[in-house]
Every structure is written in structure tokens, then in C-alpha cells.
Amino acid sequence: MERRDANGGPRAMRFDTKLVHEGTRTHGATGDLVPPIHLSVTYDRFAQDPTRYYYGRGENPTRENLETCLAALEDARFAVAFSSGQAAGAAVLSLAPSGGRVVASDDVYSGTHTLFDLFRARGVRVDRTDLADPVAAAGALTDAVDLVWLETPTNPVMKIADIAAIAAAAHRHGAVVVVDGTFTGPALQQPLAEGADISLHSTTKFIAGHSDVLGGALVLDDPELRERLVGHRTAFGSVPGAFDCYLVHRGLKTLSLRVARQVSNARAVVDVLTASPAVGAVHYPGLPEHPAFTLAARQMSAPGSIVAFEYRGDVEALMRRTELFAAAVSLGGVRSLIEHPASMSHWSVPRAVRLAAGVTDGLVRLSLGIEDPADLVEDLTAALAVAAHAEGTRG
Ligand SMILES: *Cc1c(COP(=O)(O)O)cnc(C)c1O
């Protein structure tokens, strides 16, 4: 951007300022502070540089504004926006050659499992391993690996893998490392700074933040990789529309404010859960008993706002009793959600795979919104108290 420091060099903005300012430059004569939404899908050849803007599937100024901001947030050279997180994931997997090999975290997002199956059918080998276990990770990474797919924290039990250690090991073997950091977003975790090559986000979640638009993004520094990913996007047509880009970018401006409240709400709710006789294990990386508490404290600036717990009663009944927590999939939005992975977000994952990843039949996942913490605590406390009595759970 144009701000200059005392020596005339560009003055870097800090994260929260970038959220508001990056990608908002307007070119019109009106002085509007919010760039217009560019709807045109085709561009006058003689009115501008025709190699710059040619056709909307390839180029769009509204999309580029969003990408400018997303790249800046991770101090990266490029961001490539997609129509969904899935579309972004498909573009990444297209980097693996036919006959190539991908090593992936064992408990990835359910849609990622589906993508892996599609690419397996096309001759890409996908090996799942517990990348949160350094010994297993070291054993899995060899010269034969083309792509390492790391999801951290994982959904829903919040397992955490060491991005820096895995990226260093993968790079010794020449593999490209992608981190799906959707569960934290760029406010809490910076995978490129840890050594990853590509940072993947479902912008549907924290980045857009209002559960009203789908989107995905890849953030990266390597121009050659960017060329291939943009080529994939243009060929497959997995571009986000201008209105959607506008909505994602609008939501993004409040990311830090939203996430700060979501994290403090998560902490408040974790206190309720750990004190409840109706609740068994609580999975939250901010708890000292979480297996990756120390790693999380180093790699993430806060433990996030997704909380999973073992419920000792009838999960369906619990979800019906909460009034503020809506029983719905997805996460990262302003409204708090409760869901049952075994029958909702993970229904398509084979039971054995699901259980191996710690997704038991009694596991419940919360995504904290930005409501007043006292209301959320009251809602959950009331719902759990009924459970302890009416469902005869162990005390
Ligand atoms: C939601 C999600 C995706 C897929 O994103 P969509 O925008 O729904 O296509 C990928 N990874 C993780 C971790 C997610 O939570």
C-alpha cells in the first residue's frame, strides 16, 4: 500500500489494520471508500489493457480485492479465491500427478475424505497417517511423496500437528505442504510463517463469518504453483462470483473482533462443560490436559472457538433443549451452533475410520458465536442440568 515510513519505504500495516484496509483501493472519481462490486463478465478490449482483464472466469476486480486482502493477512504474495473450500481443495489435489502420492492427516474434514476417494480413483495414492504423532509423520514422509495434506486443528477433536516440523521433513523430500487451517483462520494461525507452502481456508467459516456465503481460498508465495492453481480454477470454472467475493471481504473486516469474542465464549463454555457431571472428556486445546496444549500455545495465538465433548446422555435430546445453540453443521459464524458429528458432519465417514479418529457416538461439537457469554452459559447449563436428572446420567 502507499503508506511510507520515515525512510520513504513502504510502511507495513499490522494484521487488524490490513483486515480493514487491504484490497479496498477504488479507482473511480467518486471517492467511495467501499469499492463497487464488479459484475461484468467481459471487458472492452480497447478501454484497458486486454491482457489484464479478458473474461470473468479468469479475471475479476472484486475477486482480486478479496485476494489482495487474504494474501496480505498471511504476508504472502498471492491468494487464489474459489467458489468453496472444496473447490480450493480439489485444485490443490490436482497438483498431485497421476501415479503420485499424497500423505494426509488421518482425521480430515469429511468433504476432504470424499475428494481423496475421487483422486484415488484417478490413480493418485493417498495415505492417511497420524501427522500429529511426530514418529508416524517421520515414517510416512519419503522421497516418493508429492503432497502433504495437513489439517490442524482437526475436526472435531482438535488434534494438533506441528506445522513447522512436518513442513521441514516434507521439504527434505521435495513435497509440497498444504495446511487446511479452516478451524482457526488467519487470525489465530499462520501456516506459511511455519513453513507450509499453501494455506487453505474454507472462507465459508471464520473468514466470511456470517454463515451466509460459501467460499474457499489458497494463500501462497510460489508463482509457479499459483499459475497451476489459477489454471485449474479457470479450466474447471470453480471461481466465486463477484457478490460472494464482496460478502466474504465484508465479513473479513471484523475477523479479529469476532474471533476474540468467540474464543472468550469458548473458554466460558468449557468451564461449564468441565464442571458438568453429564459430560466426560472435553476436547479443547486451551485445556492443560489437552495432549497438544504446549504445541497449540506455540503455534496458535489462541486455542480457537470449537469445543468437542463426550456427552453421557441422549445427544439428540440435548440438541433439542439448547435454545441459543442451533443444531446445525458448519462453524465459525456469529451464531453459536451445536452438532452431533456421528450423525451430522461425519455421517459419511466410515464408522471404523470415525471411531479411530476419536469421533465416538456420544461426541458433541460446539462452534461458539459472538453472543453474550452469560446467555450461552445459561442456555448450556440449563440443557445439561435437565440431562443429569431426566436421563439418569452418572454423577
Ligand atoms: C468446511 C470445511 C471445508 C470445506 O469448505 P466448504 O466451503 O464447505 O466447501 C474444508 N475443510 C474444513 C476443515 C472445513 O471445515
Side-chain angles (χ1 to χ4, degrees):
M1 298 288 284
E2 292 111 354
R3 292 163 79 247
R4 301 272 141 188
D5 65 17
N7 301 316
R11 186 193 287 171
M13 289 185 277
R14 293 167 184 82
F15 188 89
D16 292 359
T17 311
K18 290 178 190 172
L19 285 174
V20 179
H21 287 262
E22 287 284 3
T24 61
R25 202 179 311 179
T26 55
H27 301 284
T30 58
D32 35 7
L33 295 185
V34 180
I37 303 172
H38 292 265
L39 296 174
S40 187
V41 296
T42 188
Y43 305 97
D44 187 332
R45 176 178 182 143
F46 299 117
Q48 46 96 37
D49 172 1
T51 63
R52 181 76 180 84
Y53 290 107
Y54 174 67
Y55 181 55
R57 185 150 35 74
E59 307 77 34
N60 177 280
T62 306
R63 192 157 73 229
E64 289 165 9
N65 285 339
L66 169 64
E67 291 172 339
T68 297
C69 189
L70 289 171
L73 294 178
E74 302 191 47
D75 291 318
R77 291 181 67 190
F78 310 111
V80 186
F82 287 85
S83 51
S84 66
Q86 283 297 100
V92 171
L93 284 173
S94 78
L95 297 172
S98 167
R101 183 161 170 233
V102 177
V103 167
S105 308
D106 55 356
D107 56 342
V108 293
Y109 177 69
S110 58
T112 306
H113 280 289
T114 311
L115 280 178
F116 287 163
D117 287 343
L118 286 174
F119 278 80
R120 277 196 190 101
R122 295 184 200 167
V124 175
R125 186 170 154 193
V126 183
D127 294 330
R128 281 201 314 260
T129 188
D130 182 2
L131 292 174
D133 170 357
V135 179
L141 299 174
T142 67
D143 284 346
V145 178
D146 299 287
L147 181 72
V148 176
W149 184 294
L150 192 58
E151 184 173 318
T152 184
T154 63
N155 175 20
V157 297
M158 305 296 285
K159 270 205 317 205
I160 297 187
D162 187 332
I163 300 172
I166 287 163
H171 288 159
R172 279 197 290 279
H173 299 289
V176 169
V177 178
V178 58
V179 174
D180 181 346
T182 297
F183 264 54
T184 55
L188 301 187
Q189 177 174 278
Q190 295 265 318
L192 300 187
E194 301 283 333
D197 300 295
I198 303 174
S199 171
L200 183 153
H201 302 286
S202 164
T203 57
T204 310
K205 315 292 168 55
F206 288 97
I207 287 178
H210 293 72
S211 305
D212 56 5
V213 58
L214 288 164
L218 301 174
V219 181
L220 71 165
D221 282 318
D222 185 311
E224 193 257 339
L225 279 182
R226 173 188 180 261
E227 199 72 21
R228 291 168 65 191
L229 295 165
V230 170
H232 172 100
R233 182 181 68 176
T234 306
F236 281 73
S238 48
V239 286
F243 275 116
D244 285 1
C245 289
Y246 171 76
L247 277 177
V248 173
H249 198 170
R250 186 185 207 272
L252 182 54
K253 294 178 205 301
T254 54
L255 179 72
S256 288
L257 295 172
R258 285 186 278 110
V259 167
R261 171 59 82 91
Q262 287 169 309
V263 171
S264 62
N265 280 351
R267 292 186 193 277
V269 157
V270 162
D271 288 343
V272 171
L273 293 172
T274 50
S276 169
V279 171
V282 178
H283 305 282
Y284 184 62
L287 285 171
E289 55 267 34
H290 187 280
F293 175 75
T294 311
L295 172 60
R298 172 170 72 66
Q299 186 168 278
M300 296 154 64
S301 59
S305 54
I306 313 295
V307 181
F309 62 95
E310 296 286 343
Y311 181 54
R312 298 194 165 118
D314 176 346
V315 175
E316 175 84 20
L318 177 72
M319 291 194 298
R320 286 184 186 282
R321 275 196 302 268
T322 54
E323 288 171 4
L324 295 176
F325 290 84
V329 295
S330 199
L331 56 115
V334 291
R335 180 162 175 188
S336 293
L337 304 176
I338 183 169
E339 71 113 2
H340 178 218
S343 67
M344 295 170 70
S345 60
H346 288 60
W347 68 269
S348 64
V349 179
R351 187 178 150 88
V353 175
R354 168 165 74 71
L355 290 176
V359 185
T360 59
D361 295 335
L363 196 76
V364 178
R365 186 187 81 189
L366 303 177
S367 170
L368 278 299
I370 62 170
E371 300 94 335
D372 189 305
D375 288 328
L376 296 177
V377 163
E378 275 173 25
D379 192 33
L380 198 61
T381 305
L384 290 168
V386 174
H389 295 105
E391 287 161 22
T393 52
R394 284 168 282 152

